[in-house]
Amino acid sequence: MKKTLLALTAVAAMTGSASAADLGARPYAKAPMPAPVANWTGFYVFGGGGGGLSNADQQVVSTATGTPLTITQRQGGSGWFGTVGAGYDWQFSGTWVAGVFGDAQFGSIRSTIQDPILDITGNQKLETSWAAGVRLGWLVAPNVLSYVNGGYSGAHFGRTNFTTLGGTPVGLHLNSYDRHGWFVGGGVENSLNIFGITSPGWFMKTEYRSAFYNAKTQDEIVDATGLPTGVTSIRANSWNQTISTSLVYRFNWTGPVVAKY
């Protein structure tokens, strides 16, 4: 009996060893690859252009007393501009980017200026402006930044020559002047590494901006003498909205980096 049990135990042990040998090795599961991470920290420059709308809330006032002679009316216009600028960004917490920047615009964005008392009209042209501000963005993808921005702005408005409603010069004008204000906006910036094209460091951004400039009272000037009429003046502010597209170059762009195993 003991011999029979020993024989059965030996057979069972041999069968178990063979079954274990027949089993394949446990498959190796490779760790998932981490998402690509791009480094947005560094300096950049940009240049581009776009179009804009200009609105002015205006009224005619007495030159002597400043008393309003008409109700406040909004006049508008449109135009184009070019822009150049530079900035610096810091990337933090993985997907957040904060930065500072400055830029300048030049072009011709016009709005209408009218004096209904004298039945005359003219164009006020935003010729140049500048802005300095900050922006905060979130990386919706390693190469795509969505952001908002805001800051301080200055603008130069050119001389306004008055005509009759039919277009005949009347010999009156408003002098050119400078104003300051603030702006808010936002946009999207993305790498140009698309459609199989490699362009390290090159980006494109599209941005909306709304700038508000304080009201200013200007005397109507006689062309022949350069002196105020002494009768009526124009008080107006300026609100400008622009959309621009710019080409951006980032000096230290390394692109998305993926860890290797």
Side-chain angles (χ1 to χ4, degrees):
M1 184 67 180
K2 291 182 178 180
K3 292 181 178 181
T4 303
L5 289 174
L6 289 173
L8 291 174
T9 301
V11 171
M14 293 175 64
T15 303
S17 299
S19 298
D22 290 339
L23 292 176
R26 178 177 294 180
Y28 171 73
K30 187 176 181 180
M33 298 287 285
V37 177
N39 180 17
W40 285 72
T41 298
F43 288 98
Y44 63 91
V45 295
F46 63 89
L53 300 175
S54 181
N55 293 282
D57 295 321
Q58 58 189 267
Q59 62 181 179
V60 179
V61 300
S62 167
T63 300
T65 65
T67 304
L69 302 178
T70 65
I71 61 173
T72 300
Q73 294 181 313
R74 174 163 291 184
Q75 303 290 345
S78 61
W80 60 271
F81 68 99
T83 182
V84 293
Y88 187 89
D89 284 331
W90 295 269
Q91 184 174 345
F92 62 98
S93 298
T95 57
W96 289 94
V97 176
V100 295
F101 69 93
D103 57 40
Q105 295 82 38
F106 50 90
S108 177
I109 300 179
R110 299 173 181 269
S111 62
T112 301
I113 297 291
Q114 291 186 335
D115 181 345
I117 294 179
L118 300 180
D119 285 332
I120 57 178
T121 185
N123 285 320
Q124 173 181 267
K125 184 170 69 171
L126 174 59
E127 296 180 338
T128 59
S129 63
W130 59 266
V134 297
R135 72 173 181 172
L136 177 65
W138 185 71
L139 294 174
V140 299
N143 285 351
V144 181
L145 176 68
S146 176
Y147 65 89
V148 294
N149 59 17
Y152 193 69
S153 179
H156 176 76
F157 296 89
R159 169 171 162 157
T160 298
N161 295 306
F162 284 110
T163 69
T164 65
L165 298 181
T168 303
V170 296
L172 298 176
H173 70 271
L174 301 178
N175 287 330
S176 61
Y177 65 98
D178 297 326
R179 296 306 289 163
H180 297 91
W182 55 275
F183 73 91
V184 294
V188 175
E189 183 175 334
N190 61 277
S191 169
L192 291 181
N193 288 337
I194 55 177
F195 306 123
I197 300 174
T198 301
S199 54
W202 289 100
F203 284 69
M204 179 180 70
K205 70 172 182 174
T206 298
E207 179 178 304
Y208 165 83
R209 185 177 295 182
S210 185
F212 303 85
Y213 299 105
N214 298 329
K216 181 178 178 62
T217 300
Q218 290 184 277
D219 296 335
E220 294 178 354
I221 306 297
V222 179
D223 293 349
T225 64
L227 300 175
T229 63
V231 180
T232 54
S233 301
I234 304 292
R235 180 168 178 79
N237 61 14
S238 183
W239 171 35
N240 297 282
Q241 302 179 78
T242 57
I243 295 179
S244 64
T245 297
S246 299
L247 192 63
V248 182
Y249 182 74
R250 294 183 166 274
F251 290 99
N252 67 336
W253 179 257
T254 57
V257 176
V258 181
K260 295 182 179 180
Y261 294 88

